[in-house]
Amino acid sequence: VIVDCDIHNAPLSEQALHAYLPAAWRSRRAVGGRLSPTFERQRETLGDRSYLGSEYPRATPRAARTDAWPPNGAPPAADLSFLREQLLDRYDIEYGVLTPMLGAGEQLDVESGAALASAINDWQIAEWLEPEPRLRASINVAYEDGALAAAEIHRLGHDARFVQILMLIRTAEPLGRRKYWPMYEAAVEHDLPLGVHYGGWGRGPITGTGFGSYYIEDQVGMATAFQDQLTSLVVEGVFERFPTLRVVLIEGGIAWLAALMWRLDRAWKLLRAEAPHLDRLPSEAIREHVWLTTQPMDEPTRAGDLGVLFEHLDMDDRIMFATDYPHWDFDSPERAIPKALGADRRRRILRDNAHALYRLDSGDG
Amino acid sequence: LTVAIRLFPRRGTMAEADATGISLVDCDAHAVVADITVLEPYLDDHWREVVATTQFAGPTDQAHPPNLATSLGDYAPVGDAAPGTTLAALRAHVLDPLDADIAILACDYAVDSVRNPDAAATLAAAANDWLVAEWLERDPRLRAAIVVPSGQPAMAAAEVSRVGTHPGFVAVHLPVRVAMPYGNRQWWPLFDAITGHDLVAHLHFGGAPGLPPTASGWPTSWLEEYADMASAFQSQLTSLVAEGTFDRYPGLRLALLEAGFAWLPAFLWRFDKSWRGLRREIPWTKRVPSAYVREHVRIGLQPVDGPPDPGQLLELIDQLGSDDLLMFATDYPHRHVPDGLAAIPSGLPVGLAERILSANARDLYQLP
């Protein structure tokens, strides 16, 4: 039995999503022209206002598996029946967590992004959660504005089918900053983990050393974005200020975390005067507050190194399986988690850890 | 080397008998420009006048802030000089107590923080002339890396060509943080010069490009910048391999200094896996990224950023997959360990310890 923590469902088209926009955003005339026409102007006149100057030709159309296009012509992961056939039924998936990545958080106009986030969430309820009880969803938010993000969390936090909040790892400021705290406060209030997923755009170069030239640099480099953001969360004392906050790092891989914990512990011992809110080893805070998903599963060349890594991480109850369906670097539940890790560890990764984090045994589904 | 062991009392490595006879190489000792007055003899009349009449005092950015615990170890005063700023201090603090055979100087004077390209180039040239006159020609144990205006690839190449024939220069100092990653083809003129003079490219902690050190902006504390520097090294290795620098320059030798190394195995696992899926995009690369790194890259030992458990640390070093990668370094006068001058992992096999303390650097820098 499998829980898949990263499924990228998509709408049939941009217009299909617009049907779920809050009324004020759907039609300028409906509100007498008093409200900002920003959304219409941006989506219909300007298009998407994000990722400016940061375009890489990618591996495949929509970064999808070439066999993930449904026979009916819909985009990958936009047709529920084909998603059932190719993923949920094919691999006997007990629960799947939806993580639609449709740009709500990266909009330069945060109010437009918040409206888009609401539409995405209502679309998930109507077209995914209602017809398919195996699915759970993530609350999309306009995460660059803490108050707007918190409002959306409060709007939907009572619906147990939403099991986490979703944002992307590259943000405009480091995640420890105060501007994000209202979102953390709302997450804690509703006991929802904060899922932070691969991707996003910090509105500048995508590394601390400028823009790379190729998609592989963007893709490999994402692991450094996770390292730097976790550093910020820990050093700024976010886990001390929000002691019940749970953070899930999605599609970042896992192997880099052991080295980061060692490095942070050593740095903290020398420089802790700079981190007055952090009163214990960074690795202790990380092991208490952080979960990770496996895809893209780290694949050391030497057979024994993966087992050594798991010993170094010492986070067997924090690592959760994900496929990243329908993307090209999909991890198969049948092959991605090596048997050499042991039956007990595999069961935790493939199912139990996600059950515990997302409280999937609690009913409602 | 018995003295060296005394300097690492809690981290002592080999038995003294095993260590005797190893001629130590320190591949990262800093020569610090205390302030611009030190360089005035090496500036021309125009720039001396600018300094005298405009309050321009040269770079003020520092890779290590002045008074943090990591910035300065506990060193006995040598005259009036701050540690790292004079040859006398370097001799008293590093060369003599370690009985070092050779030390390679890093001068991380932040000329890259100066936007005026002529000023940056002039200051880099002055720093190099100072390194020659006041360090290299006064102590035969010293070698150095060339300071270049790393915001300006063509001018950086010109400076390498100006001083690259001096036998004391064995490397070029490249701050790891720059506005444009070193694999970008706009850097080719600099790598033409580096490989043309058979020098080692030193990718070094720090850099002042004026852009944030992360993909998500400026961190609040220096502690974060210190930790985040490992990401900058990963980004640069990604760029250099993916954009084909090692294919274009098959003889290029690269050293990572003050980088740590604990992140390297995990980084290479990820990069190799992605390469298998995405190599079509970068067809000039013919081997997995880890093969390029193990052939072309060496790493200074400080900071030892691995696990505190000695057994796990040896497991990590084993995961590096090569005995040739690590080279002893003090990173003087910076401090990465609570006590002593530098850390050496305990329990290293003697053969590997010998490679780390001496042979790997001798091979890389083609030292006698």
Side-chain angles (χ1 to χ4, degrees):
Chain A
V1 186
I2 307 290
V3 176
D4 181 353
C5 293
D6 192 21
I7 301 173
H8 296 294
N9 58 325
L12 289 168
S13 67
E14 171 111 358
Q15 288 67 34
L17 202 57
H18 287 182
Y20 295 93
L21 280 169
W25 292 91
R26 267 206 309 278
S27 161
R28 202 193 311 187
R29 244 168 296 165
V31 292
R34 283 184 295 108
L35 281 180
S36 161
T38 306
F39 192 91
E40 277 192 16
R41 192 173 67 235
Q42 286 190 355
R43 306 301 289 188
E44 294 169 18
T45 309
L46 298 172
D48 200 42
R49 283 255 294 155
S50 64
Y51 293 95
L52 300 167
S54 181
E55 187 68 63
Y56 294 90
R58 294 197 285 186
T60 58
R62 297 175 75 117
R65 281 166 45 172
T66 51
D67 65 349
W69 294 79
N72 66 5
D79 179 71
L80 176 57
S81 66
F82 190 66
L83 184 139
R84 283 181 179 129
E85 177 188 327
Q86 195 166 48
L87 182 68
L88 301 179
D89 298 341
R90 165 74 179 78
Y91 295 106
D92 190 21
I93 286 173
E94 182 189 16
Y95 291 105
V97 179
L98 300 174
T99 49
M101 297 182 32
L102 302 170
E106 299 115 79
Q107 296 307 309
L108 294 179
D109 181 321
V110 289
E111 293 188 11
S112 157
L116 184 58
S118 294
I120 293 165
N121 295 330
D122 289 342
W123 161 77
Q124 290 189 92
I125 293 172
E127 302 198 16
W128 299 86
L129 296 178
E130 294 290 346
E132 179 47 71
R134 285 173 288 186
L135 294 177
R136 295 292 179 271
S138 306
I139 301 177
N140 277 239
V141 292
Y143 47 78
E144 295 297 353
D145 188 289
L148 287 172
E152 184 67 3
I153 294 166
H154 291 310
R155 186 175 78 89
L156 294 168
H158 66 279
D159 185 337
R161 296 171 301 179
F162 285 100
V163 294
Q164 69 182 354
I165 295 146
L166 182 64
M167 60 181 301
L168 301 183
I169 190 70
R170 289 192 191 126
T171 51
E173 289 186 44
L175 280 178
R177 283 281 165 77
R178 286 171 180 268
K179 65 174 276 194
Y180 301 108
W181 291 5
M183 177 168 62
Y184 305 152
E185 197 171 2
V188 164
E189 185 180 332
H190 293 278
D191 195 26
L192 286 167
L194 178 75
V196 193
H197 190 283
Y198 173 110
W201 176 58
R203 307 177 180 184
I206 60 171
T207 82
T209 62
F211 279 105
S213 303
Y214 300 100
Y215 172 56
I216 190 173
E217 295 174 70
D218 177 22
Q219 201 255 7
V220 172
M222 205 66 71
T224 66
F226 280 92
Q227 292 166 53
D228 298 345
Q229 289 285 42
L230 187 52
T231 296
S232 171
L233 282 168
V234 174
V235 174
E236 296 246 28
V238 167
F239 299 129
E240 271 50 52
R241 300 173 204 266
F242 302 97
T244 58
L245 182 63
R246 297 171 293 158
V247 170
V248 192
L249 304 179
I250 305 169
E251 204 180 333
I254 60 174
W256 52 266
L257 181 54
L260 181 72
M261 289 194 285
W262 299 325
R263 188 176 182 90
L264 282 175
D265 283 357
R266 288 174 183 271
W268 178 79
K269 285 176 184 168
L270 286 164
L271 297 167
R272 58 182 297 184
E274 272 211 295
H277 305 290
L278 181 62
D279 55 7
R280 55 179 168 165
L281 284 172
S283 61
E284 284 181 35
I286 288 169
R287 288 196 173 97
E288 183 180 318
H289 289 273
V290 174
W291 280 252
L292 306 103
T293 64
T294 51
Q295 186 277 338
M297 184 64 189
D298 292 289
E299 294 178 21
T301 317
R302 301 188 307 188
D305 281 347
L306 192 64
V308 172
L309 169 70
F310 271 76
E311 296 298 323
H312 288 178
L313 281 170
D314 190 19
M315 294 177 76
D316 280 359
D317 58 349
R318 290 292 192 268
I319 296 170
M320 310 186 296
F321 175 74
T323 63
D324 192 34
Y325 182 85
H327 289 154
W328 68 269
D329 45 353
F330 173 87
D331 270 353
S332 163
E334 294 166 349
R335 291 193 305 274
I337 311 299
K339 295 206 166 39
L341 288 176
D344 178 61
R345 202 180 252 146
R346 287 185 82 240
R347 196 191 64 249
R348 291 176 188 225
I349 294 170
L350 288 165
R351 177 187 179 277
D352 294 356
N353 291 340
H355 258 268
L357 174 72
Y358 294 126
R359 315 212 198 289
L360 296 174
D361 291 319
S362 65
D364 290 271
Chain B
L1 197 67
T2 53
V3 180
I5 288 172
R6 188 171 57 74
L7 279 174
F8 320 124
R10 294 191 213 153
R11 297 162 193 275
T13 171
M14 305 168 291
E16 287 184 23
D18 297 329
T20 349
I22 294 180
S23 306
L24 194 74
V25 177
D26 178 357
C27 70
D28 188 29
H30 284 248
V32 179
V33 177
D35 62 55
I36 200 165
T37 59
V38 169
L39 298 184
E40 276 185 6
Y42 309 97
L43 295 174
D44 66 19
D45 289 345
H46 169 73
W47 286 105
R48 261 198 299 273
E49 181 188 310
V50 170
V51 170
T53 59
T54 68
Q55 281 191 332
F56 175 62
T60 53
D61 282 38
Q62 298 184 45
H64 289 259
N67 290 311
L68 283 177
T70 41
S71 302
L72 214 53
D74 298 320
Y75 296 105
V78 178
D80 295 333
T85 59
T86 64
L87 177 57
L90 178 74
R91 283 174 174 155
H93 294 149
V94 179
L95 297 178
D96 297 342
L98 285 184
D99 193 20
D101 208 36
I102 288 177
I104 300 171
L105 299 174
C107 174
D108 59 3
Y109 195 45
V111 296
D112 52 328
S113 69
V114 177
R115 288 285 156 192
N116 178 325
D118 301 309
T122 290
L123 290 165
N128 290 325
D129 292 343
W130 170 76
L131 284 169
V132 169
E134 304 193 22
W135 301 76
L136 296 176
E137 296 192 343
R138 292 188 186 178
D139 195 314
R141 292 172 291 186
L142 297 180
R143 305 288 187 278
I146 298 169
V147 181
V148 294
S150 58
Q152 299 285 339
M155 296 174 91
E159 180 61 13
V160 170
S161 298
R162 187 183 74 87
V163 294
T165 52
H166 190 287
F169 285 119
V170 295
V172 175
H173 183 97
L174 305 176
V176 69
R177 286 190 50 229
V178 276
M180 175 179 69
Y182 288 113
N184 191 296
R185 58 193 71 183
Q186 294 184 55
W187 286 108
W188 286 353
L190 179 58
F191 286 104
D192 286 340
I194 290 172
T195 53
H197 289 87
D198 205 16
L199 298 165
V200 177
H202 268 189
L203 210 51
H204 197 285
F205 182 102
L211 290 169
T214 83
S216 301
W218 292 94
T220 301
S221 63
W222 195 79
L223 196 172
E224 292 163 74
E225 279 195 43
Y226 178 79
D228 292 344
M229 206 65 74
S231 290
F233 281 96
Q234 292 168 68
S235 300
Q236 291 289 14
L237 279 187
T238 307
S239 167
L240 287 162
V241 172
E243 307 203 21
T245 307
F246 296 121
D247 297 286
R248 184 177 168 87
Y249 302 97
L252 177 62
R253 296 167 289 148
L254 180 74
L256 314 182
L257 297 174
E258 225 180 310
F261 56 88
W263 48 268
L264 187 68
F267 165 75
L268 292 177
W269 298 335
R270 175 75 181 258
F271 199 1
D272 281 359
K273 174 171 174 158
S274 291
W275 181 82
R276 291 189 185 98
L278 296 170
R279 55 192 285 192
R280 182 179 72 159
E281 187 192 24
I282 48 171
W284 43 85
T285 54
K286 303 300 184 197
R287 297 173 289 159
V288 288
S290 59
Y292 286 95
V293 169
R294 294 203 174 95
E295 179 183 337
H296 291 274
V297 178
R298 300 293 178 264
I299 306 174
L301 189 63
Q302 297 312 308
V304 176
D305 58 350
D309 177 86
Q312 289 194 341
L313 181 56
L314 292 179
E315 288 174 343
L316 173 75
I317 289 171
D318 180 57
Q319 286 179 344
L320 294 173
S322 168
D323 286 353
D324 299 336
L325 290 186
L326 298 176
M327 306 184 295
F328 176 74
T330 59
D331 191 32
Y332 168 83
H334 306 144
R335 171 160 73 178
H336 302 282
V337 291
D339 56 323
L341 185 56
I344 299 177
S346 59
L348 290 173
V350 170
L352 175 56
E354 287 173 352
R355 293 213 61 80
I356 292 174
L357 291 172
S358 182
N360 287 340
R362 285 176 194 279
D363 290 348
L364 181 72
Y365 297 103
Q366 299 163 355
L367 300 171

